[in-house]
Amino acid sequence: IFMDQQMIRLLHRLRFLLFALPMAPVSAFADGENIIAACSPWPPYVVDGEKPGGILVDYVEDLLQGFGYSVRIDVFPWKRAIEAARSGNVDVIFCAEEGQAKTYGLEYEFPILISDTVLLSHRDAPLEASQVWHHRIALGAGYWYGDLFESRRQDVDTIEVVDDLTILRMVASNRADGGLMEKAVLDSLLHTYPELAEMIHVSSEPVTTQTFYFAMSPATQIDMRHLRQHITKSRPKPIIQQVNSNAL
């Protein structure tokens, strides 16, 4: 009788499991995998703080969580973020320019941001994109302008590398003929400093357009087959920040 009672209890447990298993959530994603992502501060795309935020941070969080991953985003200086990715301490870096793939051996998975760089000038002496050369130009600090601009650095009279707000003030006060800046960054600054906006002319065409990528560390422990399956299925669209997409 004792054995029969044990068998009955065992059968009840087996029956519960057989009914419960089909009801358990089944995920095609990489359950249990955590992704550590990193980027450098770059308002309004990446805003450093107690909890990182900004256009790109929100995009990456939503994207990876939609794939079923748990994600933690850290904000580092760019060189440190690159080193962390190369060593495998970070799985993903984002807002990375294409040329850095060859330099650092990162595995670029898909475009995350297509972004225009515009030429700023004083409203009384407007410059268009084709007139960027042979002028005193101010650049955003730490910004990468791609092979096209780098190949013509010698053509520019003077280059000053300063922060974005300083570029705006230099152009507004005629201390520089022009300045190069990301369109979305410029929009944010002009909204914050409307008195400077009244003195600024924005080129109607971009000086250059960069494509930034979602880049995986070559040393990551993430199952890349899973990630690529997710990307293939969902085909995520990059954020587009272009001159012709916004009224000047």
Side-chain angles (χ1 to χ4, degrees):
I1 295 173
F2 177 73
M3 288 297 293
D4 287 345
Q5 288 176 337
Q6 278 191 324
M7 287 295 294
I8 290 169
R9 283 198 293 269
L10 180 60
L11 287 171
H12 277 298
R13 287 175 185 168
L14 287 172
R15 186 171 64 178
F16 172 78
L17 287 173
L18 286 171
F19 279 97
L21 280 173
M23 298 174 64
V26 178
S27 175
F29 302 130
D31 293 333
E33 286 190 316
N34 298 314
I35 288 184
I36 303 173
C39 192
S40 58
W42 184 23
Y45 296 111
V46 179
V47 180
D48 198 0
E50 291 184 9
K51 185 181 184 300
I55 299 169
L56 282 174
V57 170
D58 295 342
Y59 180 93
V60 170
E61 281 185 333
D62 291 345
L63 181 74
L64 292 175
Q65 287 171 2
F67 289 165
Y69 292 98
S70 173
V71 59
R72 187 187 90 209
I73 294 178
D74 295 323
V75 180
F76 300 143
W78 187 238
K79 184 177 178 182
R80 184 179 163 196
I82 290 284
E83 290 172 351
R86 295 179 74 185
S87 67
N89 291 329
V90 163
D91 299 301
V92 175
I93 62 169
F94 52 96
C95 66
E97 200 269 346
E98 183 180 8
Q100 293 167 333
K102 298 174 184 176
T103 304
Y104 299 110
L106 302 173
E107 299 181 18
Y108 283 66
E109 297 303 321
F110 63 91
I112 187 171
L113 171 66
I114 297 171
S115 185
D116 283 342
T117 296
V118 294
L119 174 62
L120 314 182
S121 53
H122 196 282
R123 185 151 290 183
D124 294 338
L127 297 174
E128 284 301 323
S130 60
Q131 298 174 287
V132 64
W133 317 113
H134 306 294
H135 288 280
R136 296 169 296 143
I137 303 298
L139 305 182
Y143 194 76
W144 180 270
Y145 283 93
D147 294 339
L148 173 65
F149 186 78
E150 291 297 316
S151 69
R152 296 197 63 174
R153 288 180 72 94
Q154 299 303 315
D155 296 335
V156 180
D157 282 351
T158 305
I159 294 177
E160 293 191 53
V161 180
V162 293
D163 65 90
D164 293 312
L165 180 55
T166 300
I167 290 177
L168 210 59
R169 287 174 171 160
M170 287 175 69
V171 172
S173 63
N174 285 315
R175 287 188 291 127
D177 296 328
L180 297 179
M181 194 180 297
E182 280 291 323
K183 180 63 167 60
V185 175
L186 174 65
D187 288 344
S188 178
L189 284 174
L190 293 185
H191 179 75
T192 306
Y193 301 95
E195 69 282 4
L196 294 178
E198 294 176 3
M199 294 181 277
I200 297 296
H201 171 78
V202 182
S203 64
S204 57
E205 296 291 332
V207 172
T208 184
T209 300
Q210 298 83 242
T211 300
F212 297 88
Y213 288 83
F214 178 98
M216 296 297 293
S217 164
T220 182
Q221 298 301 308
I222 298 297
D223 187 335
M224 294 301 294
R225 292 172 303 173
H226 279 144
L227 184 64
R228 286 174 183 138
Q229 285 172 2
H230 306 334
I231 292 169
T232 300
K233 287 179 182 177
S234 67
R235 296 183 180 180
K237 295 180 180 178
I239 300 168
I240 297 178
Q241 298 283 349
Q242 294 182 318
V243 173
N244 57 12
S245 64
N246 297 293
L248 296 176

